[in-house]
PDB file of all heavy atoms in Angstrom:
ATOM      1  N   ILE A 491      78.206  68.689  17.785  1.00  0.00           N
ATOM      2  CA  ILE A 491      79.183  67.777  18.380  1.00  0.00           C
ATOM      3  C   ILE A 491      80.441  68.574  18.700  1.00  0.00           C
ATOM      4  O   ILE A 491      81.416  68.575  17.932  1.00  0.00           O
ATOM      5  CB  ILE A 491      79.480  66.593  17.435  1.00  0.00           C
ATOM      6  CG1 ILE A 491      78.169  65.901  17.052  1.00  0.00           C
ATOM      7  CG2 ILE A 491      80.430  65.595  18.109  1.00  0.00           C
ATOM      8  CD1 ILE A 491      78.330  64.805  16.030  1.00  0.00           C
ATOM      9  N   GLY A 492      80.399  69.281  19.824  1.00  0.00           N
ATOM     10  CA  GLY A 492      81.506  70.149  20.194  1.00  0.00           C
ATOM     11  C   GLY A 492      82.415  69.579  21.261  1.00  0.00           C
ATOM     12  O   GLY A 492      83.603  69.915  21.326  1.00  0.00           O
ATOM     13  N   ARG A 493      81.866  68.722  22.104  1.00  0.00           N
ATOM     14  CA  ARG A 493      82.637  68.185  23.225  1.00  0.00           C
ATOM     15  C   ARG A 493      82.494  66.665  23.261  1.00  0.00           C
ATOM     16  O   ARG A 493      81.660  66.082  22.579  1.00  0.00           O
ATOM     17  CB  ARG A 493      82.146  68.796  24.543  1.00  0.00           C
ATOM     18  CG  ARG A 493      82.242  70.328  24.571  1.00  0.00           C
ATOM     19  CD  ARG A 493      81.712  70.913  25.868  1.00  0.00           C
ATOM     20  NE  ARG A 493      81.722  72.361  25.839  1.00  0.00           N
ATOM     21  CZ  ARG A 493      82.770  73.116  26.149  1.00  0.00           C
ATOM     22  NH1 ARG A 493      83.913  72.534  26.519  1.00  0.00           N
ATOM     23  NH2 ARG A 493      82.706  74.425  26.097  1.00  0.00           N
ATOM     24  N   ILE A 494      83.317  66.042  24.076  1.00  0.00           N
ATOM     25  CA  ILE A 494      83.310  64.583  24.184  1.00  0.00           C
ATOM     26  C   ILE A 494      81.918  64.068  24.551  1.00  0.00           C
ATOM     27  O   ILE A 494      81.428  63.082  23.991  1.00  0.00           O
ATOM     28  CB  ILE A 494      84.346  64.099  25.221  1.00  0.00           C
ATOM     29  CG1 ILE A 494      85.769  64.432  24.755  1.00  0.00           C
ATOM     30  CG2 ILE A 494      84.196  62.604  25.468  1.00  0.00           C
ATOM     31  CD1 ILE A 494      86.226  63.658  23.550  1.00  0.00           C
ATOM     32  N   ALA A 495      81.258  64.752  25.496  1.00  0.00           N
ATOM     33  CA  ALA A 495      79.917  64.318  25.913  1.00  0.00           C
ATOM     34  C   ALA A 495      78.939  64.381  24.743  1.00  0.00           C
ATOM     35  O   ALA A 495      78.061  63.517  24.604  1.00  0.00           O
ATOM     36  CB  ALA A 495      79.421  65.173  27.070  1.00  0.00           C
ATOM     37  N   ASP A 496      79.080  65.401  23.881  1.00  0.00           N
ATOM     38  CA  ASP A 496      78.219  65.513  22.705  1.00  0.00           C
ATOM     39  C   ASP A 496      78.480  64.362  21.739  1.00  0.00           C
ATOM     40  O   ASP A 496      77.545  63.812  21.143  1.00  0.00           O
ATOM     41  CB  ASP A 496      78.466  66.836  21.983  1.00  0.00           C
ATOM     42  CG  ASP A 496      78.190  68.049  22.855  1.00  0.00           C
ATOM     43  OD1 ASP A 496      77.227  67.997  23.635  1.00  0.00           O
ATOM     44  OD2 ASP A 496      78.952  69.030  22.759  1.00  0.00           O
ATOM     45  N   TYR A 497      79.741  64.017  21.582  1.00  0.00           N
ATOM     46  CA  TYR A 497      80.113  62.926  20.679  1.00  0.00           C
ATOM     47  C   TYR A 497      79.532  61.600  21.168  1.00  0.00           C
ATOM     48  O   TYR A 497      79.007  60.800  20.378  1.00  0.00           O
ATOM     49  CB  TYR A 497      81.629  62.842  20.565  1.00  0.00           C
ATOM     50  CG  TYR A 497      82.115  61.753  19.639  1.00  0.00           C
ATOM     51  CD1 TYR A 497      81.773  61.763  18.289  1.00  0.00           C
ATOM     52  CD2 TYR A 497      82.904  60.719  20.121  1.00  0.00           C
ATOM     53  CE1 TYR A 497      82.219  60.763  17.433  1.00  0.00           C
ATOM     54  CE2 TYR A 497      83.349  59.716  19.271  1.00  0.00           C
ATOM     55  CZ  TYR A 497      83.010  59.747  17.928  1.00  0.00           C
ATOM     56  OH  TYR A 497      83.436  58.750  17.097  1.00  0.00           O
ATOM     57  N   GLU A 498      79.600  61.388  22.463  1.00  0.00           N
ATOM     58  CA  GLU A 498      79.022  60.166  23.034  1.00  0.00           C
ATOM     59  C   GLU A 498      77.510  60.141  22.839  1.00  0.00           C
ATOM     60  O   GLU A 498      76.921  59.108  22.506  1.00  0.00           O
ATOM     61  CB  GLU A 498      79.386  60.066  24.511  1.00  0.00           C
ATOM     62  CG  GLU A 498      80.880  59.840  24.738  1.00  0.00           C
ATOM     63  CD  GLU A 498      81.279  59.954  26.202  1.00  0.00           C
ATOM     64  OE1 GLU A 498      80.430  60.423  27.004  1.00  0.00           O
ATOM     65  OE2 GLU A 498      82.417  59.598  26.540  1.00  0.00           O
ATOM     66  N   LYS A 499      76.872  61.290  23.027  1.00  0.00           N
ATOM     67  CA  LYS A 499      75.415  61.377  22.827  1.00  0.00           C
ATOM     68  C   LYS A 499      75.067  61.136  21.355  1.00  0.00           C
ATOM     69  O   LYS A 499      74.073  60.468  21.042  1.00  0.00           O
ATOM     70  CB  LYS A 499      74.896  62.744  23.269  1.00  0.00           C
ATOM     71  CG  LYS A 499      73.403  62.957  22.996  1.00  0.00           C
ATOM     72  CD  LYS A 499      72.902  64.267  23.583  1.00  0.00           C
ATOM     73  CE  LYS A 499      71.492  64.594  23.116  1.00  0.00           C
ATOM     74  NZ  LYS A 499      70.534  63.509  23.302  1.00  0.00           N
ATOM     75  N   ALA A 500      75.890  61.668  20.447  1.00  0.00           N
ATOM     76  CA  ALA A 500      75.627  61.492  19.014  1.00  0.00           C
ATOM     77  C   ALA A 500      75.609  60.022  18.641  1.00  0.00           C
ATOM     78  O   ALA A 500      74.746  59.565  17.883  1.00  0.00           O
ATOM     79  CB  ALA A 500      76.683  62.242  18.193  1.00  0.00           C
ATOM     80  N   ASN A 501      76.550  59.257  19.168  1.00  0.00           N
ATOM     81  CA  ASN A 501      76.584  57.833  18.856  1.00  0.00           C
ATOM     82  C   ASN A 501      75.392  57.099  19.465  1.00  0.00           C
ATOM     83  O   ASN A 501      74.890  56.130  18.888  1.00  0.00           O
ATOM     84  CB  ASN A 501      77.904  57.226  19.358  1.00  0.00           C
ATOM     85  CG  ASN A 501      79.026  57.394  18.349  1.00  0.00           C
ATOM     86  OD1 ASN A 501      79.065  56.719  17.329  1.00  0.00           O
ATOM     87  ND2 ASN A 501      79.919  58.332  18.621  1.00  0.00           N
ATOM     88  N   TRP A 502      74.952  57.578  20.604  1.00  0.00           N
ATOM     89  CA  TRP A 502      73.762  56.992  21.229  1.00  0.00           C
ATOM     90  C   TRP A 502      72.503  57.319  20.412  1.00  0.00           C
ATOM     91  O   TRP A 502      71.649  56.468  20.176  1.00  0.00           O
ATOM     92  CB  TRP A 502      73.626  57.508  22.655  1.00  0.00           C
ATOM     93  CG  TRP A 502      72.392  57.010  23.363  1.00  0.00           C
ATOM     94  CD1 TRP A 502      71.182  57.651  23.457  1.00  0.00           C
ATOM     95  CD2 TRP A 502      72.233  55.764  24.042  1.00  0.00           C
ATOM     96  NE1 TRP A 502      70.289  56.891  24.158  1.00  0.00           N
ATOM     97  CE2 TRP A 502      70.901  55.723  24.534  1.00  0.00           C
ATOM     98  CE3 TRP A 502      73.069  54.688  24.300  1.00  0.00           C
ATOM     99  CZ2 TRP A 502      70.400  54.650  25.258  1.00  0.00           C
ATOM    100  CZ3 TRP A 502      72.570  53.606  25.024  1.00  0.00           C
ATOM    101  CH2 TRP A 502      71.254  53.598  25.494  1.00  0.00           C
ATOM    102  N   ASP A 503      72.415  58.586  19.974  1.00  0.00           N
ATOM    103  CA  ASP A 503      71.234  59.031  19.234  1.00  0.00           C
ATOM    104  C   ASP A 503      71.157  58.441  17.831  1.00  0.00           C
ATOM    105  O   ASP A 503      70.060  58.269  17.284  1.00  0.00           O
ATOM    106  CB  ASP A 503      71.237  60.559  19.095  1.00  0.00           C
ATOM    107  CG  ASP A 503      71.000  61.269  20.411  1.00  0.00           C
ATOM    108  OD1 ASP A 503      70.630  60.593  21.390  1.00  0.00           O
ATOM    109  OD2 ASP A 503      71.190  62.496  20.457  1.00  0.00           O
ATOM    110  N   TYR A 504      72.309  58.158  17.250  1.00  0.00           N
ATOM    111  CA  TYR A 504      72.360  57.799  15.826  1.00  0.00           C
ATOM    112  C   TYR A 504      71.449  56.619  15.490  1.00  0.00           C
ATOM    113  O   TYR A 504      70.731  56.636  14.484  1.00  0.00           O
ATOM    114  CB  TYR A 504      73.795  57.486  15.418  1.00  0.00           C
ATOM    115  CG  TYR A 504      73.949  57.207  13.939  1.00  0.00           C
ATOM    116  CD1 TYR A 504      74.123  58.255  13.039  1.00  0.00           C
ATOM    117  CD2 TYR A 504      73.895  55.908  13.433  1.00  0.00           C
ATOM    118  CE1 TYR A 504      74.259  58.008  11.680  1.00  0.00           C
ATOM    119  CE2 TYR A 504      74.014  55.655  12.083  1.00  0.00           C
ATOM    120  CZ  TYR A 504      74.207  56.711  11.211  1.00  0.00           C
ATOM    121  OH  TYR A 504      74.320  56.476   9.863  1.00  0.00           O
ATOM    122  N   THR A 505      71.485  55.587  16.328  1.00  0.00           N
ATOM    123  CA  THR A 505      70.705  54.382  16.029  1.00  0.00           C
ATOM    124  C   THR A 505      69.206  54.654  16.036  1.00  0.00           C
ATOM    125  O   THR A 505      68.444  53.956  15.369  1.00  0.00           O
ATOM    126  CB  THR A 505      71.022  53.261  17.044  1.00  0.00           C
ATOM    127  OG1 THR A 505      70.798  53.757  18.368  1.00  0.00           O
ATOM    128  CG2 THR A 505      72.476  52.828  16.923  1.00  0.00           C
ATOM    129  N   VAL A 506      68.784  55.686  16.779  1.00  0.00           N
ATOM    130  CA  VAL A 506      67.357  56.020  16.855  1.00  0.00           C
ATOM    131  C   VAL A 506      66.968  57.032  15.789  1.00  0.00           C
ATOM    132  O   VAL A 506      65.991  56.853  15.052  1.00  0.00           O
ATOM    133  CB  VAL A 506      67.009  56.573  18.253  1.00  0.00           C
ATOM    134  CG1 VAL A 506      65.554  57.014  18.296  1.00  0.00           C
ATOM    135  CG2 VAL A 506      67.301  55.537  19.318  1.00  0.00           C
ATOM    136  N   GLU A 507      67.749  58.110  15.679  1.00  0.00           N
ATOM    137  CA  GLU A 507      67.374  59.234  14.827  1.00  0.00           C
ATOM    138  C   GLU A 507      67.704  59.030  13.358  1.00  0.00           C
ATOM    139  O   GLU A 507      67.060  59.613  12.487  1.00  0.00           O
ATOM    140  CB  GLU A 507      68.067  60.518  15.306  1.00  0.00           C
ATOM    141  CG  GLU A 507      67.661  60.953  16.701  1.00  0.00           C
ATOM    142  CD  GLU A 507      66.238  61.458  16.764  1.00  0.00           C
ATOM    143  OE1 GLU A 507      65.666  61.765  15.702  1.00  0.00           O
ATOM    144  OE2 GLU A 507      65.687  61.537  17.869  1.00  0.00           O
ATOM    145  N   PHE A 508      68.722  58.237  13.052  1.00  0.00           N
ATOM    146  CA  PHE A 508      69.195  58.164  11.677  1.00  0.00           C
ATOM    147  C   PHE A 508      69.011  56.799  11.053  1.00  0.00           C
ATOM    148  O   PHE A 508      69.656  56.468  10.063  1.00  0.00           O
ATOM    149  CB  PHE A 508      70.663  58.601  11.607  1.00  0.00           C
ATOM    150  CG  PHE A 508      70.819  60.073  11.863  1.00  0.00           C
ATOM    151  CD1 PHE A 508      70.920  60.554  13.155  1.00  0.00           C
ATOM    152  CD2 PHE A 508      70.834  60.967  10.824  1.00  0.00           C
ATOM    153  CE1 PHE A 508      71.047  61.908  13.391  1.00  0.00           C
ATOM    154  CE2 PHE A 508      70.954  62.326  11.048  1.00  0.00           C
ATOM    155  CZ  PHE A 508      71.056  62.795  12.345  1.00  0.00           C
TER     156      PHE A 508
END
Side-chain angles (χ1 to χ4, degrees):
I491 306 175
R493 302 178 184 275
I494 295 292
D496 300 322
Y497 181 61
E498 293 171 349
K499 176 174 170 51
N501 275 286
W502 177 265
D503 291 349
Y504 184 85
T505 55
V506 176
E507 297 290 344
F508 290 86

